[in-house]
Amino acid sequence: MIVTRVFLAPRERQVLEGLAAGNTLAVVAQDLKIREGTAASYLRQAKTKLHRVSETPAAIAVGYATRAIPHPPLLDPGTLYLPREQRALVPLIARGMGLAHMATELNRPVNDVRADGRELLTKLGARNRNHLIPRAWQVEILTTDQVATWLR
């Protein structure tokens, strides 16, 4: 499925890429030598351009799908094994859903979803939810087609 390309301003792209790398907004701002409030403003502008998403993981996923930020290099998943329950979390996290919303969507107890989410982060070597998106993209657990289906 083809998704229309989105163009971000250089600072918008840099802030989103920094967050995708697993950094906090404060660290991204420090690395770019700008104030945290300025970085937050660039992030808001990027989210608006990226189909008006409200959550950062969604902005990163849409950024990849629309080629607003470069795709991370693909990796060979090798011996990576993710149970169905953990794989099911990836598109929900990418849409920016919170824990309670994911539990409701999957009809599972919150504590089970929380435990699976933590295990998913560990298995993918992700530092946080934002960093999970590029890691899932690299092993093709999250794809442009998946993102495109919820952008409609």
Side-chain angles (χ1 to χ4, degrees), residues 80 82 87 90-91 120 124 136-143 146:
L80 176 67
L82 295 176
R87 282 182 180 270
V90 173
L120 176 64
L124 291 177
W137 204 277
Q138 289 180 302
V139 293
E140 299 181 284
I141 297 169
L142 183 63
T143 65
Q146 287 174 309

Side-chain angles (χ1 to χ4, degrees), residues 81-91 106 108 116 120 123 141:
Y81 169 73
L82 295 176
R84 175 179 48 85
E85 294 83 7
Q86 290 174 14
R87 282 182 180 270
L89 294 177
V90 173
L106 297 170
R108 296 185 59 217
D116 280 338
L120 176 64
K123 285 182 178 178
I141 297 169

